[in-house]
Amino acid sequence: MTAVAHRTAPRNTPYRRGTGLGLAGTGTLLRLALRRDRVLIPVWLLALTMISVQNAVAVEQFYPTATERAELVASMNANDSMRALYGPAFGSSVGALAVWEMLTLGSVLAALMSMVIVVRHTREEEETGRQEMLSSAMVGRHAPLTAALAAAACANAAVAVLVTLGLIGVGLPATGSLATGLALGGTGLVFAAVAAVAAQLTESARLAKGLTGAVLGAAFVLRAAGDTARADGSSPLAWVSPLAWARNLRPYVDDRFLVLLPMALLVVAASLAAYGLAGRRDVGAGLLAVRPGPAVGGIGGPHGLAWRLQRGSLLGWGVGLALAGAIFGGMAEGAGDLLGDNEQSREIIEQMGGAQGITDAFLAAMAGLFGMVTAIQAAGAVLRMRGEETSERAEPILAGAVPRLRWATGHLLVAFAGSAALLTVCGLAMGLGYGLAAGEPGAVWRVTGGVLSQAPAVWVLAGTTVLLFGLLPRATGVVWGLVGGALVLGWLGPALDLPRSVMNLTPFTHLPKLPGGDPTAAPYLWLLLIAAGTTAVGLTAFRRRDIG
């Protein structure tokens, strides 16, 4: 009977393959992950490719001669703030300059994409209980982690291919284009492996993302410190950071592909560590012990609970925006020297920040950028309600004596008042940075007011998020498309010289350019009215719909 059973058993079914390694079902889980990310990954790929290609086109358009590019490189490398932000420029060709401006931002975006994919398909699946249900079937122990890493690998491979083809398509050398694509894809893989380790250490997706984000922030700070210390990229501090490895590939200059070796070693080491850690814990648990709460609860109601849930995120955003504000504020005094005599660059800054003096235009452009970035925090704070709802933590609270509106207003206070607080902190930091650099301490309040003036536009996007949460809770993911669209239009629209009718689609376009511009009340009143209306309609719909 044993022989007959052996002959009749199905061969190479999805569940039999890889059973001995704990990989049974990996292919099925990978297809499921790619299907669930069928919108997220293409949008991220499109954004990365567009940024890369657009940057190369802009450099060729604004700095057409070798002399202009050489002067720009000399100016940038002599500026410590610019090296801290972008790193040193290693060459003056169109490709080298395009990479200089784009590679740090592109590497961070690739790292964030990988973090979202890996945490979503590992820790988030365990946190919601779906992984336990899947594990009751023929799914190997390591299959979810392998599928998540494979999905991230597919996304980063696509990044490498699309960026390479896009840069070749605009006429840049193939070897340098390939080095650029591999640098972005390799950095994404490094942080996919880091996110896989974080997912084993923590018990929640929020903590896993926070831990990975902290590693990414530390990598950025190390790179910035190293590049500030030495203009040739040889600082040991810079070589500790994976973000500096991508830059030290030096596309279109040396094309040093050997720099990919430490990336590959780190990916393998971190992935093996993640597999080792996964085998030492229970499903749903993390290796870092969760600190028990106090014996007597100190949360005074739904507002206190919302603050407790979101205060860590708010603090992280505050620190990041304050640092960025101080850096850009310190750079503002030299904005004129930075742009030189290039009229097209000045026109772009003036479109973003207004036609007043170039320093005020630069500050106003940065204020608008910080407003768009703060909208990401505001939308995320509103969507936290949807996360509490789908994880079934909101239902026991709302089943008691807590009204829905009271529960929701706790989270909305964090979204609306928190975004205003973030803009204030960012404005104060930028004002202090500018005031100290320019010797104008009194400019602090003028710059702070300019940054805070972005709040009504941020609230419009937050109100739109509330509207979707109330009316179409399953479609709340559309919010990220709206926020991303506003960011892309605000950042790339002036460089691409998009028509006014297209730029008007984002609420930030309608605000006066402050500091330096003429403030008028009408745009603020209209934006506040829209934000209040969408929030009220969303909350009304939330009161009437089913939970879940």
Side-chain angles (χ1 to χ4, degrees), residues 129-406:
R130 286 192 291 265
Q131 186 55 54
E132 188 173 1
M133 182 183 66
L134 290 171
S135 298
S136 64
M138 291 290 289
V139 174
R141 173 74 178 175
H142 299 308
L145 177 57
T146 307
L149 287 172
C154 291
N156 283 293
V159 166
V161 171
L162 289 176
V163 169
T164 301
L165 293 178
L167 293 176
I168 293 174
V170 295
L172 294 180
T175 307
S177 302
L178 178 62
T180 305
L182 291 176
L184 293 178
T187 307
L189 280 178
V190 166
F191 283 93
V194 170
V197 174
Q200 315 309 315
L201 296 176
T202 59
E203 281 195 5
S204 75
R206 183 169 55 87
L207 288 175
K209 289 177 183 175
L211 189 58
T212 310
V215 175
L216 180 60
F220 186 91
V221 171
L222 286 172
R223 184 209 60 75
D227 286 338
T228 304
R230 295 183 186 178
D232 59 356
S234 62
S235 169
L237 276 179
W239 278 96
V240 174
S241 168
L243 296 179
W245 297 344
R247 176 161 298 286
N248 275 298
L249 256 164
R250 303 190 182 187
Y252 305 107
V253 181
D254 299 332
D255 298 324
R256 301 193 296 190
F257 287 98
L258 277 178
V259 180
L260 293 171
L261 185 59
M263 281 189 183
L265 292 176
L266 183 54
V267 169
V268 172
S271 300
L272 290 176
Y275 281 110
L277 295 174
R280 298 173 183 273
R281 65 176 181 86
D282 295 329
V283 174
L287 289 172
L288 294 180
V290 177
R291 188 176 57 183
V296 179
I299 298 177
H303 291 182
L305 176 61
W307 168 248
R308 177 67 179 269
L309 290 173
Q310 304 215 40
R311 65 183 182 183
S313 170
L314 205 58
L315 178 63
W317 276 94
V319 172
L321 284 172
L323 286 173
I327 292 173
F328 281 108
M331 291 167 51
E333 175 63 9
D337 297 334
L338 193 69
L339 298 175
D341 298 328
N342 193 298
E343 288 300 324
Q344 289 171 307
S345 298
R346 288 175 177 267
E347 286 176 6
I348 290 175
I349 292 296
E350 288 175 357
Q351 285 187 49
M352 296 174 70
Q356 60 272 18
I358 194 64
T359 301
D360 278 347
F362 181 82
L363 289 169
M366 293 302 106
L369 174 64
F370 288 132
M372 296 172 216
V373 173
T374 305
I376 298 173
Q377 179 276 332
V382 175
L383 289 181
R384 186 61 191 262
M385 291 192 292
R386 180 62 182 162
E388 293 295 298
E389 183 183 354
T390 54
S391 62
E392 300 180 354
R393 288 192 291 266
E395 191 170 352
I397 297 174
L398 298 176
V402 178
R404 292 191 184 189
L405 285 186
R406 190 179 172 202

Side-chain angles (χ1 to χ4, degrees), residues 321-327 329-330 424-434 444 447-448:
L321 284 172
L323 286 173
I327 292 173
T424 303
V425 169
C426 179
L428 284 171
M430 192 161 78
L432 280 171
Y434 171 67
V444 171
V447 175
T448 304

